[in-house]
Amino acid sequence: MSRLIIEGLHKLDGEAVIHGAKNSVLPILAATILAGGTSEIANCPRLSDVRATSAILRYLGCSVTAQDEVVTVDPSGLCRSDIPDDLMREMRSSIVFLGAIAARMGEAHLSFPGGCELGPRPINLHLAALRRLGLVIEEERGRLNCHIRGQRLKGTTITLEQPSVGATENILLASATAEGVTVIVNAAREPEIVDLCCYLNACGARITGAGEGTITIEGVDRLGGCRHQVLPDRIETVTYMAAAAATGGRVVLSRTNPALIASVLPAFEEAGCHTDWSEASRLLTLEAPERLSRVTSVLTMPYPGFPTDAQAPVMAMTCVAQGTSVFIETIFDNRYRHVDELSRLGARIKVEGRVAVVEGVPRLSGAQVECTDLRGGAALVIAALAADGETEITALQHLDRGYDGLEEGLSNLGASIRREE
Ligand code: EPZ
């Protein structure tokens, strides 16, 4: 079992490179099975979730090769339409394969994705939408056995009762080669949805309205392969900014884009940080004050609101701010599991349902803590950087799902951080 050892109170100062977005590359890799040719996915981060997705592609019969940050998928050997339990359990977001496998193979067999650290992860919106496209879905003993009624899925209008990212992705993958036109009303507007639609359109799909509330997909008979560059990871961007802010430091980020985090910048500014974007050098700079000020309130919302994935990293930096900050988590039911671990470092946080009240303290103290989930783990790293003394962080498998080389990146910024097996 590996662990991170962090000696806190080192001001971060330097440059960090942002990788491709995990939440974009996963649905895009699933989409490659729809293509009639090879796809080259560039700026692909080295993450355990990417390895898990590649394992599913190989199981289905695709050839998947990785060279530096380019993953090449040749789906010509596609021969299976099922995902075994062990592969499904490794990553609950594998449900995004359902629409793609069903559209390409005419049937799909996979298990219900388990819940996860964030609480139950229902897929009712996915299943209701796919049924409206003509997929017959039988649920029995935790398995989903699906087949298309007739030859092809048929386009229709689908209104989502909430703008689910995963459900929007499943509808896009199922409808790209369906017969006729599909309209998604109240679609998710995240940048990762736009990136997926860019990939599909580069393969020959006819999708308009990505990034808006209504997306129109005109089904085409077949898709070709393409080369696609994955957009920057906005949550990794926020994570490095919060780490620099929590240590009163400075960070210059390359290969990112401030437009992706427009809804988070006000929180950094209210905390007293100065941010700057240089169009010429395409570098995003954050400079933190000696001591942060509190962030009055953070309300997580679907894009373009404050992203739920940024809640834990930003909460970690407010633990050492002057004053009291308030967080309201509206997307997931159980997304404060990092609070107990932050409290072990001396944070003063009170949780009442969806609300967390953080009373900033002058200093945290190092302790032994355990990652509870991906972004909660990032919060512990940020808090440990701002803690007096040594912190040991375990259960790193959560972090490795979504961060490519986090300890190297922080170490290059001057953090005292090492991974011990
Ligand atoms: C995606 O999850 C991301 N994961 C999450 O990032 C992110 O937090 C989330 O979108 C919201 O932005 C990936 O892209 C792999 P949702 P997803 O469907 O698709 C409820 C991270 O840390 N819901 O938009 O699962 C659901 O329970 C991860 O990188 C239903 O009720 O999110 C949740 O409360 C964590 N029924 C809310 O909607 C459904 O059928 C938002 O879920 C589907 C969702």
Side-chain angles (χ1 to χ4, degrees):
M1 153 120 97
S2 55
R3 58 191 182 148
L4 284 179
I5 307 295
I6 296 174
E7 184 67 36
L9 298 187
H10 295 260
K11 260 188 205 304
L12 300 194
D13 188 355
E15 285 203 18
V17 179
I18 298 301
H19 301 89
K22 165 179 86 82
N23 292 346
S24 178
V25 74
L26 298 184
I28 287 174
L29 286 174
T32 59
I33 70 171
L34 292 169
T38 296
S39 294
E40 287 186 359
I41 311 301
N43 198 30
C44 192
R46 285 153 302 196
L47 305 170
S48 58
D49 271 6
V50 170
R51 289 190 289 277
T53 303
S54 301
I56 291 173
L57 288 171
R58 290 192 182 99
Y59 173 83
L60 293 172
C62 303
S63 97
V64 183
T65 53
Q67 178 71 34
D68 299 328
E69 291 180 331
V70 179
V71 169
T72 301
V73 181
D74 173 358
S76 55
L78 197 64
C79 59
R80 286 195 176 112
S81 56
D82 70 299
I83 299 180
D85 265 13
D86 60 327
L87 290 179
M88 274 303 287
R89 285 188 180 286
E90 197 163 325
M91 187 180 64
R92 65 158 307 285
S93 52
S94 313
I95 191 65
V96 78
F97 272 96
L98 176 53
I101 295 173
R104 184 64 196 262
M105 305 299 282
E107 59 178 297
H109 309 275
L110 38 91
S111 50
F112 255 91
C116 80
E117 309 80 12
L118 307 182
R121 298 292 292 272
I123 57 170
N124 58 308
L125 301 178
H126 298 239
L127 303 186
L130 293 172
R131 284 184 168 118
R132 280 186 55 72
L133 288 166
L135 189 65
V136 178
I137 302 174
E138 283 141 19
E139 305 167 39
E140 52 176 344
R141 298 213 314 277
R143 293 284 290 176
L144 297 169
N145 294 312
C146 315
H147 65 274
I148 293 178
R149 189 184 308 115
Q151 288 308 309
R152 274 171 85 181
L153 294 170
K154 286 186 177 42
T156 183
T157 295
I158 298 167
T159 299
L160 290 173
E161 63 189 64
Q162 65 183 67
S164 155
V165 171
T168 301
E169 291 165 348
N170 246 324
I171 299 166
L172 286 166
L173 297 183
S175 62
T177 56
E179 189 182 319
V181 177
T182 298
V183 177
I184 311 174
V185 179
N186 195 25
R189 298 161 58 181
E190 273 70 5
E192 293 76 26
I193 296 288
V194 177
D195 208 32
L196 173 61
C197 292
C198 285
Y199 164 78
L200 288 168
N201 283 341
C203 290
R206 291 200 200 118
I207 302 171
T208 52
E212 294 151 30
T214 299
I215 303 178
T216 302
I217 306 103
E218 191 186 327
V220 295
D221 290 343
R222 68 183 52 76
L223 296 173
C226 76
R227 179 180 172 89
H228 178 81
Q229 167 112 355
V230 176
L231 95 167
D233 193 314
R234 57 199 170 103
I235 308 304
E236 185 186 30
T237 300
V238 168
T239 302
Y240 275 105
M241 293 170 75
T247 59
R250 175 179 177 278
V251 67
V252 181
L253 298 175
S254 57
R255 291 172 55 179
T256 189
N257 175 348
L260 297 171
I261 54 160
S263 59
V264 188
L265 289 177
F268 284 107
E269 273 139 33
E270 187 184 3
C273 296
H274 173 70
T275 60
D276 176 67
W277 167 251
S278 158
E279 199 57 53
S281 61
R282 300 194 64 74
L283 293 174
L284 176 62
T285 303
L286 175 137
E287 288 177 296
E290 210 36 51
R291 175 124 194 246
L292 295 172
S293 305
R294 60 91 179 263
V295 178
T296 311
S297 83
V298 169
L299 178 71
T300 65
M301 290 295 281
Y303 196 87
F306 189 100
T308 174
D309 296 348
Q311 178 252 106
V314 169
M315 179 185 285
M317 82 177 193
T318 63
C319 291
V320 289
Q322 173 87 39
T324 299
S325 306
V326 177
F327 291 79
I328 303 128
E329 173 57 59
T330 71
I331 305 294
F332 288 105
D333 297 336
N334 183 22
R335 201 161 197 176
Y336 287 133
R337 297 182 69 229
H338 47 283
V339 166
D340 287 347
E341 296 302 306
L342 287 172
S343 304
R344 289 168 60 87
L345 294 165
R348 287 209 204 118
I349 308 171
K350 187 157 177 44
V351 173
E352 283 295 333
R354 289 186 177 278
V355 179
V357 180
V358 181
E359 185 193 335
V361 295
R363 185 141 290 171
L364 298 173
S365 306
Q368 286 191 328
V369 290
E370 186 176 307
C371 295
T372 53
D373 57 84
L374 168 55
R375 307 303 174 185
L380 297 179
V381 171
I382 291 164
L385 293 168
D388 188 5
E390 183 173 281
T391 296
E392 176 188 294
I393 304 178
T394 55
L396 300 185
Q397 68 276 14
H398 293 293
L399 266 186
D400 295 339
R401 284 189 45 220
Y403 289 98
D404 181 347
L406 184 61
E407 59 261 33
E408 286 88 0
L410 292 171
S411 185
N412 293 340
L413 289 169
S416 164
I417 179 172
R418 69 178 188 278
R419 183 180 288 234
E420 285 182 355
E421 297 309 322

